[in-house]
Amino acid sequence: YWDYTYEPTRVPTNGTVSLRGMPAGEHTLTLLNVAPNCSGENLDERRIVITATAATRVVFQLACARK
């Protein structure tokens, strides 16, 4: 069992974040502190598989209502 935790990282609107150095294997990815006027599917505890030979792309799609 491997517990690999990154410090919280801000994701800019319509932006990307690269997390480097994660070991190969299955991991759980969670999007935290989503604005209350935004929603999306699968934001909590998304299971991902990291391979040693390729980048793993994960996309979170959110819809936000005007405040």
Side-chain angles (χ1 to χ4, degrees):
Y1 177 75
W2 180 268
D3 182 10
Y4 197 84
T5 304
Y6 270 94
E7 289 296 317
T9 303
R10 248 194 126 95
V11 180
T13 302
N14 297 321
T16 62
V17 171
S18 294
L19 304 175
R20 301 188 186 282
M22 291 182 75
E26 191 171 297
H27 299 273
T28 302
L29 187 63
T30 303
L31 190 60
L32 301 172
N33 299 322
V34 175
N37 62 314
C38 297
S39 63
E41 293 184 27
N42 253 356
L43 302 181
D44 295 332
E45 298 188 5
R46 186 178 298 186
R47 311 284 283 169
I48 60 170
V49 176
I50 304 293
T51 63
T53 58
T56 301
R57 183 176 178 183
V58 179
V59 177
F60 288 97
Q61 293 185 342
L62 301 170
C64 300
R66 290 182 179 238
K67 290 184 176 182

